[in-house]
Amino acid sequence: MTRVIEDFVAMPDAILQAVCGANARHAALIENAFTVLIETPGGGLAVRGAAKGLASAKAVLDLLADRAASGAQVAEADVRQAIGQIRAGEKPGAARAMPMGRRGVVAAKTAAQARYLDLLASHELVFGVGPAGTGKTYLAVAYGANMLLRGEVDRLVVTRPAVEAGERLGFLPGDLTEKVDPYMAPVWEALTDLLGAEQLRRRRDKGEIEVAPIAFMRGRTLSHAFVIVDEAQNASRLQMKMVLTRLGEGARMVVTGDPTQVDLLNVRDSGLSHAVGLLDGVKGVAIARFAAEDVVRHPLVERIVRAYDAASAQTPS
């Protein structure tokens, strides 16, 4: 017979509400995951269940309470991610949190994201490599925007290959902004979410935020800037070398991409995997690798990534 025990997790009411979620939805997810019962007698949470499930549920509650205490939002995706971490036996440290004005606070949701933010803080060049939905680009944009807001850099520069436009970009109608914006929509969405439309417009008009295709980086020296190279798997080896050597005094760079999603005609011409292999171990360079379990979008996305990874592993090279 399984012995049922009870424990109490104390927390302030505001933290308690964030952890439990609307209509106790978060608490219900934790109960189902670890076969426990969670109640709110006041001043915290009473958790009842078998020893192993109780310990796991408490670990998840502690993670979520720490996240809420840092000022970060606790969404259902955060709860599911925390459950997955504890089930996998991971012991993530305290999440690095970044004040972001309109967004409030942005914090790491997984151990891989926390390590990624630590690497961004301690290296001049960081590669963020892994599947879509792991937060590589969003966290890089958030980190760069945070540095800009604190005055640690003068500019935030985001660049990515406009693969679909090929060599015809110059023939598209409109000015540079109108030509490029369709290819930069994911970046603008992240910046709008983080800063708000008005602050983004002001900083863009002042030249403090720039988003442009890699082709427009040639011949420039980017000093006192935080540079993000997004969708880098679609940059050629020559483009990658060119953009990596744009770094000037006081500049930092993060390169993000998924080596399995190359849209170039010649997959072997992709500069991302080549650069990661070439620069791994070089002083000042760090590589953050993400996997399917780090996906923080809809839970189905992780299962889709795993299915494609399994199919790729079975396909002869």
Side-chain angles (χ1 to χ4, degrees):
M1 181 176 178
T2 303
R3 179 169 174 254
V4 175
I5 57 177
E6 183 175 324
D7 205 345
F8 185 79
V9 182
M11 58 183 71
D13 287 346
I15 303 299
L16 181 63
Q17 292 175 9
V19 170
C20 286
N23 301 316
R25 170 61 177 165
H26 298 169
L29 289 172
I30 299 169
E31 288 178 326
N32 292 335
F34 302 111
T35 318
V36 297
L37 177 65
I38 299 176
E39 297 177 324
T40 56
L45 294 168
V47 187
R48 184 182 302 115
K52 184 177 180 180
L54 180 68
S56 297
K58 283 188 62 183
V60 170
L61 292 171
D62 287 340
L63 279 177
L64 298 177
D66 287 345
R67 180 174 178 82
S70 74
Q73 180 184 8
V74 179
E76 184 174 321
D78 302 312
V79 179
R80 294 184 183 278
Q81 195 67 40
I83 290 171
Q85 285 180 300
I86 297 305
R87 277 178 167 168
E90 297 177 7
K91 293 182 174 59
R96 178 186 291 274
M98 297 177 289
M100 286 305 308
R102 175 182 182 273
R103 184 63 168 163
V105 172
V106 174
K109 296 184 177 183
T110 70
Q113 287 189 353
R115 179 175 180 274
Y116 184 44
L117 291 177
D118 286 340
L119 293 177
L120 290 175
S122 57
H123 291 76
E124 289 77 26
L125 172 60
V126 176
F127 289 89
V129 181
T134 51
K136 304 182 302 296
T137 299
Y138 190 87
L139 285 178
V141 172
Y143 193 90
N146 186 252
M147 290 190 72
L148 181 65
L149 292 176
R150 296 201 311 263
E152 296 182 16
V153 293
D154 296 334
R155 287 182 296 163
L156 172 61
V157 179
V158 187
T159 183
R160 64 188 299 185
V163 171
E164 299 89 341
E167 295 300 322
R168 297 190 296 262
L169 189 63
F171 294 97
L172 293 176
D175 60 18
L176 174 60
T177 296
E178 293 170 325
K179 295 175 194 289
V180 169
D181 271 358
Y183 304 98
M184 303 299 178
V187 177
W188 289 128
E189 290 171 5
L191 285 167
T192 302
D193 182 52
L194 291 162
L195 300 175
E198 180 58 28
Q199 180 169 192
L200 173 59
R201 183 192 62 77
R202 291 199 311 269
R203 291 185 179 272
R204 187 178 181 180
D205 290 346
K206 291 166 61 177
E208 294 179 359
I209 295 178
E210 175 185 355
V211 179
I214 282 182
F216 291 87
M217 297 295 109
R218 190 175 301 278
R220 300 177 61 183
T221 299
L222 302 171
S223 301
H224 304 291
F226 189 87
V227 185
I228 300 170
V229 184
D230 190 34
E231 295 290 340
Q233 75 276 2
N234 289 327
S236 68
R237 294 188 181 191
L238 288 176
Q239 285 178 319
M240 183 62 71
K241 179 183 177 182
M242 179 272 290
V243 76
L244 291 176
T245 54
R246 298 307 91 197
L247 281 174
E249 181 182 358
R252 309 273 284 280
M253 181 180 288
V254 56
V255 180
T256 68
D258 181 358
T260 69
Q261 297 294 317
V262 178
D263 295 320
L264 299 172
L265 293 177
N266 182 359
V267 174
R268 294 178 180 176
D269 191 39
S270 175
L272 178 59
S273 294
H274 178 256
V276 167
L278 196 65
L279 300 177
D280 192 3
V282 172
K283 183 178 180 181
V285 178
I287 300 168
R289 291 183 170 88
F290 295 85
E293 57 266 26
D294 299 311
V295 171
V296 292
R297 292 181 182 171
H298 191 287
L300 179 58
V301 175
E302 177 183 347
R303 299 196 288 274
I304 291 171
V305 171
R306 289 187 183 279
Y308 273 92
D309 286 347
S312 298
Q314 294 172 5
T315 302
S317 56

